[in-house]
Structure formats: C-alpha cells, structure tokens
Amino acid sequence: MTAVTATTTKVRRTQRPRITPGKVVAWTVMAAMVLITLLPFYWILRTALSSNTALAAHPGDPLPVDLTTGGFERALGLQSTEEAIAQGGSGGGLKFWRYLINSTVVSTLITVFQILFSAMAAYAFARLRWRGRDTVFGLFLAGLMVPTIFTLLPNFVLIKQLGLVDSLLGISLPTMFMTPFAVFFMRQFFMNVPREVEEAALLDGAGKIRIFFRVMLPMASTPILTLGVLTYITSWNDYFWPLMVSYSDSSRVLTVALAIFRAQTPQSGYDWSGLMAATLIAALPMLVLFGFFARRIVSSISFTGIK
Amino acid sequence: MTVASSPPSRLPVRDIEGTQPKPRIREKRERDGGGRGDGALAALFIAPAMLGFLVFLLWPTLRGIYLSFTRFNLLTPAEWVGLDNYVRMVKDPIFWDSLTVTVEYVFINIGVQTVSALAIAVLLQRLTQSAILRGIVLTPYLMSNVVAGIVWLWMLDTQLGIGNEIIAGLGFDRIPFLADETWAIPTIALINVWRHVGYTALLLFAGLQAIPSDMYEAAKVDGASEWRMFWRITMPLLRPVLAVVLIMTVIGSFQVFDTVAVTTAGGPANATNVLQYYIYGAAFGRFQFGYASAMSVALLVVLSAITFVQYRLTRAGQTDLG
C-alpha cells in the first residue's frame, strides 16, 4: 500500500517539471496578461515623476524623464499659480486633502451603516420567525434587478427636496441603509451558522438582540470584512451619483475632483504629469487597502459572485 | 460555554484550498409564520434596511415611471403630458443612435471580456494556483473608472502616448484612438475590459474550483489533451456559472458612463454618446427630467428583457449538462 503511494508520488514528481510547447505558450499568454495589467500602473508613476516639457520631448522613454516631484506638488496644491502654469499646469486649484477627507467620510459612512443594517436585516431573514418573511425577502431580492441609473434621477430629485444636495450626507444616504446584494450576501452566511450555536446562547440566558451582537456578528467577521472591502472600493470609486449631487469643494469626492482636474486643460495641452500624480494619489488608498486584505478578498470573491 | 469558538470551517467563505461551501437549506420549522414568532424583534432588525429599500429603491422606481409621463424641470411642479416623452423618444434619431452605440459597446466589451476572463481563469486553474497572480489580476478593479479612463487617455494619446509610440516605432501610422469616430467605442470598451476582466476572471475561477480535479486526472489517464479537456469538461461544467456571470456583466456594461464622461464626453460627433450619457445630458444639461426618465424606463425595459431571455437560456442550457 505504502509502496503504491510512493510510486505514484514519484511519478507525479517526475512529471511536474516537464516543459511542453503548450506550457510555454500558456505561460507566455499569462505573462502578457500580467504585463498589460500592470503596465498602466508603472506608466502612471513614470509620468508623474517626469516634467511636462521633457515628456513632450521623450514620449517613449521607459524611465521618468527629467525627474521631478512637480506633478505631485501641483496635484496637492503646493505650487503657486505662476509656478504651476510655468510647469504646464492649469493653475486651477485642487484641494486634494479636502477631497481625500470627503471620499473617506462618504465611503466609511456607507460601508459601516450599509453593512450593519444589511446584517441586521439578513439576520431577521435568516434566523427569526415572522409572518411574511419570505415575501418581503423576495421583494428585496427583486431590487437587485433595478438598474442603478433608474433610481438615480428620482433619488436626485428627492435629495434635492430634502435640501441635502452638495452635502456628504446627500452623497451617502441612498446606499447607506442597504443594498439588496449586501442583505443577500449576509443572509447566505447566517443561514449556514449551525443552529446549536444560537441554542447554546439562548440556554445561557442571552436575548436574541444580544445573540446577534455578541455571537453572530463576531462569527461573521470574515464575510463582513470581504463585503466591507468590496463596498468600500465601490463607494470610493463611484462617480455618477457624486457628480450629480455635489457642486462645490465642500462635498466633492476624489473621483469627481479628478475628472474636473482633467477637464481644466491649460493652453499648452494637458498637464499629464500633474494628472498622473493626481491619479496616483486618488488610487493609492485603495491599493494600500487591498495590500492589507488581498489574500482574504481574492480567496473569498468566489463567495460573493456565485450562489 | 464559549460559543465564539465554534469551528471556523463552518464559515461559508472558501479558503485558499477551495473547499466547497455546502449550502444547507434550513428545515421546514423555520419557514414562514411557523411556530412562535419573533415579529416585533424582526421588525426592529429590518426597520433601517426597509426604510432604505422603500425610500431609495422602491419609491424612486415608481417615481421614475411617473416622471416619464410628465414635463419636469425641477423648478416648477411636474406636469402630466401622457405619452409625449415616449413619442418624442421614438422619433428622436439621437436616442436611436445612442442605443446603437451602447449595443456596439456592450458587444465588444462583453465579447472580449468574457473570452479573456475565461482564458485567465483557466490558466489560473490549470497552470498555477498562485494567489499572488490572482491578486495581480484583480488590481485594475481597485481603480475607479475615472482613473482607468484618464490613464488610458494618456497612454493612447495620439502624439505622446506610449501606445502610439510603439505603433510608430513598428512603422505604422499613429491611431487617434479616442478622437476618431470608428476607434472611440472599441477603445472605451477595451479600457473597461482592462478594469473589469480580473474580477470576472476570479468569479469564473471560483466556478472552476468547484469542478472536481479527479475528472481532469481521469481524462489525463485516458490521454486527453488540455484542449480536449477544456471543451469536454471545463466548458460544460462551467456553463451555469458562466451564464450568471454573463447576465451580471451585460447588465453592468449597458450602464457605461464614467469612462465616456472622462475620455470623450460623448464625442467625436456623438460617436460615443452612450444611452446613459445621453440621459445624463438630457437631465442635467437641458433639465428635461421627464424625457430623461422616459429614456431610463426604456433602458429598464431593455435590461429586463435581456435578463429574462438570458435566464431562460440558462435554464434551458442546464438540462443537457448531465
């Protein structure tokens, strides 16, 4: 028996490193895909560290040309208007820190409340007994079918009537309470928690509210983290809704600010170096967030998509 | 009694090794209205989500349908005009143009994205199980459409973009990717493929993980090639997952807006005036909220029809899987 296992593993080991033409092709395709995926990131960095005048002279140089941090200074509003215009900027001000804070506030508000409220509802759908439960859940699920564009116009009208246009709350409100997806996602998890866990806590004299906050929520930390990061990325990257609702710096988020920065074209053509620096600053928080949670997210995306 | 220490293997989230989560359907005793109820508590737990659902999802949906029958500019009350907006829409050549452009976009976007995502997913499954590679594949998804649009706008710039530098270096003519009527839509479609393909690939990869590996081993013993295994094992067993992913991505791509807004703003000469961009312009450029709502209803109808048809096709497809 042991001999058989030994030979099979031996056979496998000798088979593994065999290089076939097919494998070479497959790896080449894989390498090309990785290159296409990552090249833009390098090109952002390379451009951001170049000066606009040098970029025009050496467009194809693989390394930063005329290395400078001027682009970052312009994006962060650290240069005087004359200086910025001299270096190919528009001179238009950008309050990057303000937008960064706005984006953070909006994404945090949406993520925290959406997940808390969706988890609460999901718990009621999965573990509580009440009349009409399946009907209400069906109604929630049907909400998944409504395309976002459809609710955006009426929601804008509503937010305007509430007097919340151009406020961070106005940007956050529509997705702060729930999304059908988040409810569905959390419900899937709660359905799979073994009944005994809850019963044991009930025997210990805990009420259902206590069970939810002290037992169920902590147990759900992994799906909550996955859902949280995905929600954070989605709300951070959202552009259409904030574009509709915000008009001034007080509520402008990074995506909208970036699009405005891109639209402020100086006489000489785009300020590519400043634009790439701004792009990098806008994207960096998500890259850092992903850096922390990558392993978990990548392995649990399966759960979010296929049900 | 420490309840929190229950085995983590119960978590439905798949670990790196890819053990299948087993959905366990609850017994009858938990069904609707059975036994003693938790009605009051349930109401309390559902209240916030219900508020959000009613105010920001159900009500706007109904209101959108209502607004589509009115003339409304935000400043004066909505005025009922019956089917006027719909009549106007049917006669509006720009509406039909933008629908055509959107469909063109969806076809290119979905076609390229599905094939590439499938290729990446299969390579990730059959070639290597590297978690690092999976992470790399997902990175563009972290960027906003705005960032993706701006970066590619720069890389594809006619004079200074690295893309055209390479094309010129190879001795070809420079291509005005985003400034040319023919090239603009395919270019925008491919930019969005770049951003979304990794996410789609990971969804498909998850589907592939559910295929038992001994099926491949048995096929290999029988001398089947990778190519044959792909068509005889991977494709048939992945089809249900592929169908679900397709529905999701098609619906998503019909709603393209951000990338168009930052790269071409609908131009040149309406060549990239996708439906959602046209709706936005009607509402916020010209304050024709009623007309914009009518076009939204049209989009909703199109999307519902697509979902329905795809759903039916999926159901039909599942039966012959065996």
Side-chain angles (χ1 to χ4, degrees):
Chain A
M1 187 63 208
T2 36
V4 175
T5 352
T7 38
T8 33
T9 44
K10 210 172 195 180
V11 169
R12 273 205 200 135
R13 250 182 227 145
T14 44
Q15 269 179 352
R16 268 280 158 84
R18 216 176 61 202
I19 300 166
T20 60
K23 266 191 179 160
V24 175
V25 173
W27 274 111
T28 314
V29 172
M30 195 73 214
M33 299 230 174
V34 168
L35 186 72
I36 295 171
T37 306
L38 294 182
L39 179 70
F41 291 95
Y42 173 70
W43 212 244
I44 296 174
L45 187 66
R46 175 260 181 197
T47 310
L49 290 170
S50 303
S51 87
N52 277 318
T53 37
L55 278 178
H58 309 273
D61 228 58
L63 289 173
V65 280
D66 189 11
L67 195 72
T68 167
T69 54
F72 287 96
E73 287 164 25
R74 267 194 312 289
L76 291 170
L78 299 174
Q79 281 180 344
S80 68
T81 312
E82 300 78 46
E83 212 177 348
I85 290 171
Q87 290 188 16
S90 71
L94 255 207
K95 302 190 179 106
F96 240 105
W97 298 113
R98 175 85 236 175
Y99 312 138
L100 193 71
I101 292 167
N102 286 346
S103 277
T104 310
V105 170
V106 165
S107 305
T108 309
L109 268 181
I110 292 176
T111 305
V112 169
F113 286 103
Q114 186 192 113
I115 287 175
L116 174 68
F117 294 151
S118 295
M120 281 164 62
Y123 178 72
F125 283 127
R127 304 316 284 260
L128 299 177
R129 270 167 276 173
W130 46 287
R131 197 172 285 277
R133 184 180 70 176
D134 294 355
T135 319
V136 176
F137 183 66
L139 197 65
F140 268 49
L141 264 195
L144 272 173
M145 288 290 138
V146 181
T148 29
I149 171 73
F150 200 70
T151 51
L152 289 184
L153 288 180
N155 270 340
F156 172 78
V157 176
L158 179 69
I159 290 292
K160 186 162 173 75
Q161 283 168 346
L162 289 173
L164 289 172
V165 160
D166 206 19
S167 74
L168 294 181
L169 192 62
I171 298 177
S172 318
L173 220 47
T175 41
M176 233 170 79
F177 294 97
M178 63 92 69
T179 59
F181 174 72
V183 175
F184 184 75
F185 181 92
M186 290 311 298
R187 179 174 172 271
Q188 289 291 95
F189 172 80
F190 289 133
M191 298 266 281
N192 285 303
V193 174
R195 193 95 210 153
E196 298 76 44
V197 171
E198 223 175 339
E199 274 159 11
L202 275 172
L203 282 179
D204 283 359
K208 293 225 165 144
I209 297 183
R210 198 180 156 83
I211 291 177
F212 175 72
F213 284 102
R214 291 296 173 81
V215 180
M216 291 302 221
L217 271 191
M219 277 185 75
S221 57
T222 307
I224 285 179
L225 186 79
T226 303
L227 184 61
V229 173
L230 288 179
T231 310
Y232 209 88
I233 291 173
T234 309
S235 41
W236 186 276
N237 287 340
D238 196 15
Y239 172 67
F240 200 175
W241 175 249
L243 175 70
M244 281 172 151
V245 178
S246 101
Y247 294 117
S248 71
D249 280 346
S250 67
S251 75
R252 192 159 288 154
V253 294
L254 273 172
T255 43
V256 179
L258 203 56
I260 291 175
F261 192 56
R262 127 103 178 84
Q264 292 168 339
T265 316
Q267 297 283 307
S268 50
Y270 289 122
D271 171 14
W272 287 117
S273 129
L275 203 51
M276 288 302 119
T279 305
L280 193 59
I281 297 167
L284 206 57
M286 288 308 101
L287 287 170
V288 172
L289 188 74
F290 185 66
F292 276 115
F293 300 115
R295 222 181 134 81
R296 260 180 159 161
I297 298 164
V298 166
S299 54
S300 58
I301 276 191
S302 53
F303 181 67
T304 73
I306 316 294
K307 280 141 278 184
Chain B
M1 173 72 227
T2 51
V3 254
S5 67
S6 73
S9 59
R10 297 283 196 182
L11 298 183
V13 172
R14 213 169 280 181
D15 58 27
I16 299 284
E17 269 64 54
T19 44
Q20 250 321 84
K22 291 185 184 65
R24 299 188 308 138
I25 292 137
R26 284 276 142 212
E27 313 78 354
K28 285 232 161 66
R29 62 187 164 120
E30 258 196 76
R31 288 267 304 279
D32 254 30
R36 71 191 159 76
D38 302 304
L41 185 65
L44 184 74
F45 267 60
I46 291 214
M50 187 53 103
L51 179 76
F53 177 76
L54 293 176
V55 176
F56 295 106
L57 199 56
L58 187 63
W59 170 241
T61 304
L62 299 175
R63 199 178 192 187
I65 295 171
Y66 165 74
L67 284 179
S68 72
F69 295 105
T70 66
R71 187 178 295 123
F72 183 44
N73 61 7
L74 271 186
L75 304 170
T76 50
E79 176 198 340
W80 185 267
V81 292
L83 287 171
D84 278 13
N85 289 319
Y86 290 95
V87 172
R88 176 175 165 195
M89 184 171 82
V90 173
K91 288 181 184 162
D92 180 359
I94 305 177
F95 168 77
W96 291 108
D97 272 356
S98 74
L99 191 61
T100 316
V101 165
T102 311
V103 170
E104 188 194 340
Y105 166 85
V106 171
F107 266 97
I108 300 172
N109 181 267
I110 293 299
V112 178
Q113 176 162 304
T114 309
V115 172
S116 332
L118 197 56
I120 294 173
V122 170
L123 287 176
L124 281 176
Q125 186 209 19
R126 303 294 300 151
L127 202 58
T128 163
Q129 293 278 334
S130 160
I132 296 170
L133 269 180
R134 273 182 272 162
I136 290 176
V137 158
L138 196 63
T139 39
Y141 184 71
L142 308 172
M143 305 293 100
S144 60
N145 285 323
V146 174
V147 165
I150 293 177
V151 170
W152 283 99
L153 185 70
W154 162 229
M155 297 201 4
L156 298 176
D157 185 84
T158 317
Q159 292 312 314
L160 301 174
I162 181 68
N164 267 310
E165 280 302 304
I166 294 170
I167 290 171
L170 293 172
F172 296 102
D173 285 341
R174 287 172 186 268
I175 302 169
F177 286 99
L178 287 156
D180 182 272
E181 283 182 43
T182 342
W183 283 97
I185 274 289
T187 306
I188 290 173
L190 293 181
I191 293 174
N192 284 339
V193 168
W194 177 78
R195 176 160 126 74
H196 292 283
V197 72
Y199 189 77
T200 312
L202 284 185
L203 294 180
L204 294 178
F205 175 76
L208 291 178
Q209 293 293 84
I211 299 175
S213 59
D214 46 359
M215 294 194 78
Y216 290 101
E217 272 153 32
K220 215 165 199 171
V221 171
D222 290 348
S225 64
E226 282 289 338
W227 187 247
R228 200 175 160 80
M229 286 195 274
F230 174 77
W231 288 109
R232 288 300 170 83
I233 301 174
T234 309
M235 276 311 265
L237 290 179
L238 189 65
R239 213 154 82 187
V241 173
L242 194 60
V244 173
V245 170
L246 257 179
I247 293 180
M248 279 169 39
T249 48
V250 167
I251 288 182
S253 71
F254 253 98
Q255 302 180 58
V256 55
F257 175 82
D258 307 355
T259 318
V260 170
V262 292
T263 53
T264 59
N270 281 339
T272 59
N273 194 6
V274 289
L275 202 48
Q276 185 134 293
Y277 196 77
Y278 188 46
I279 294 174
Y280 173 79
F284 292 90
R286 301 181 289 282
F287 296 103
Q288 299 161 347
F289 277 82
Y291 188 46
S293 298
M295 289 193 286
S296 302
V297 173
L299 184 59
L300 179 68
V301 170
V302 170
L303 290 181
S304 309
I306 289 172
T307 312
F308 180 75
V309 169
Q310 278 188 323
Y311 198 72
R312 290 300 291 268
L313 288 178
T314 320
R315 279 281 164 92
Q318 267 171 350
T319 52
D320 61 81
L321 284 180

Short mmCIF file of all heavy atoms in Angstrom, two decimals, chain A residues 99 102 166 245-253:
data_model
loop_
_atom_site.label_atom_id
_atom_site.label_comp_id
_atom_site.label_asym_id
_atom_site.label_seq_id
_atom_site.Cartn_x
_atom_site.Cartn_y
_atom_site.Cartn_z
N TYR A 99 -10.71 66.65 -0.69
CA TYR A 99 -11.39 65.58 -1.43
C TYR A 99 -11.11 64.22 -0.83
O TYR A 99 -11.97 63.34 -0.79
CB TYR A 99 -10.99 65.59 -2.91
CG TYR A 99 -11.06 66.96 -3.55
CD1 TYR A 99 -10.07 67.38 -4.42
CD2 TYR A 99 -12.11 67.82 -3.28
CE1 TYR A 99 -10.12 68.63 -5.01
CE2 TYR A 99 -12.17 69.07 -3.86
CZ TYR A 99 -11.17 69.48 -4.72
OH TYR A 99 -11.22 70.71 -5.29
N ASN A 102 -13.28 63.96 2.13
CA ASN A 102 -14.66 63.74 1.68
C ASN A 102 -14.87 62.30 1.23
O ASN A 102 -15.85 61.65 1.63
CB ASN A 102 -15.01 64.67 0.52
CG ASN A 102 -15.21 66.10 0.99
OD1 ASN A 102 -15.34 66.35 2.18
ND2 ASN A 102 -15.22 67.04 0.06
N ASP A 166 -25.29 68.72 -2.48
CA ASP A 166 -23.99 69.28 -2.15
C ASP A 166 -23.60 69.04 -0.68
O ASP A 166 -22.95 69.86 -0.05
CB ASP A 166 -23.94 70.79 -2.45
CG ASP A 166 -22.52 71.24 -2.73
OD1 ASP A 166 -21.68 70.37 -3.04
OD2 ASP A 166 -22.25 72.45 -2.63
N VAL A 245 -24.76 65.00 -7.36
CA VAL A 245 -25.17 65.62 -6.11
C VAL A 245 -24.24 66.73 -5.65
O VAL A 245 -24.67 67.67 -4.99
CB VAL A 245 -25.30 64.54 -5.01
CG1 VAL A 245 -25.67 65.16 -3.68
CG2 VAL A 245 -26.34 63.52 -5.42
N SER A 246 -22.95 66.65 -5.98
CA SER A 246 -22.05 67.65 -5.40
C SER A 246 -21.68 68.75 -6.38
O SER A 246 -21.50 68.50 -7.57
CB SER A 246 -20.79 66.95 -4.86
OG SER A 246 -19.73 67.09 -5.73
N TYR A 247 -21.64 69.96 -5.88
CA TYR A 247 -21.36 71.12 -6.74
C TYR A 247 -20.11 71.88 -6.33
O TYR A 247 -19.57 72.66 -7.10
CB TYR A 247 -22.55 72.09 -6.73
CG TYR A 247 -23.78 71.51 -7.36
CD1 TYR A 247 -24.94 71.32 -6.63
CD2 TYR A 247 -23.77 71.14 -8.70
CE1 TYR A 247 -26.06 70.77 -7.21
CE2 TYR A 247 -24.90 70.59 -9.28
CZ TYR A 247 -26.04 70.41 -8.54
OH TYR A 247 -27.13 69.86 -9.13
N SER A 248 -19.71 71.75 -5.07
CA SER A 248 -18.60 72.57 -4.61
C SER A 248 -17.59 71.73 -3.86
O SER A 248 -17.82 70.56 -3.58
CB SER A 248 -19.13 73.67 -3.69
OG SER A 248 -19.54 73.11 -2.47
N ASP A 249 -16.47 72.36 -3.52
CA ASP A 249 -15.39 71.67 -2.82
C ASP A 249 -15.85 71.01 -1.53
O ASP A 249 -15.31 70.01 -1.10
CB ASP A 249 -14.27 72.66 -2.50
CG ASP A 249 -13.39 72.89 -3.72
OD1 ASP A 249 -13.51 72.11 -4.67
OD2 ASP A 249 -12.61 73.86 -3.71
N SER A 250 -16.89 71.60 -0.89
CA SER A 250 -17.28 71.10 0.42
C SER A 250 -17.74 69.65 0.37
O SER A 250 -17.64 68.94 1.36
CB SER A 250 -18.38 71.99 1.01
OG SER A 250 -19.54 71.86 0.24
N SER A 251 -18.26 69.19 -0.78
CA SER A 251 -18.74 67.81 -0.83
C SER A 251 -18.10 67.03 -1.98
O SER A 251 -18.49 65.92 -2.27
CB SER A 251 -20.26 67.77 -0.99
OG SER A 251 -20.61 68.10 -2.31
N ARG A 252 -17.11 67.63 -2.62
CA ARG A 252 -16.53 66.97 -3.79
C ARG A 252 -15.67 65.77 -3.36
O ARG A 252 -14.86 65.89 -2.46
CB ARG A 252 -15.69 67.98 -4.56
CG ARG A 252 -15.29 67.51 -5.95
CD ARG A 252 -14.92 68.68 -6.82
NE ARG A 252 -16.11 69.46 -7.21
CZ ARG A 252 -16.08 70.75 -7.52
NH1 ARG A 252 -14.96 71.42 -7.50
NH2 ARG A 252 -17.19 71.36 -7.86
N VAL A 253 -15.87 64.64 -4.03
CA VAL A 253 -15.05 63.47 -3.72
C VAL A 253 -13.95 63.33 -4.79
O VAL A 253 -13.98 64.01 -5.81
CB VAL A 253 -15.89 62.18 -3.66
CG1 VAL A 253 -16.85 62.22 -2.48
CG2 VAL A 253 -16.63 61.93 -4.96
#
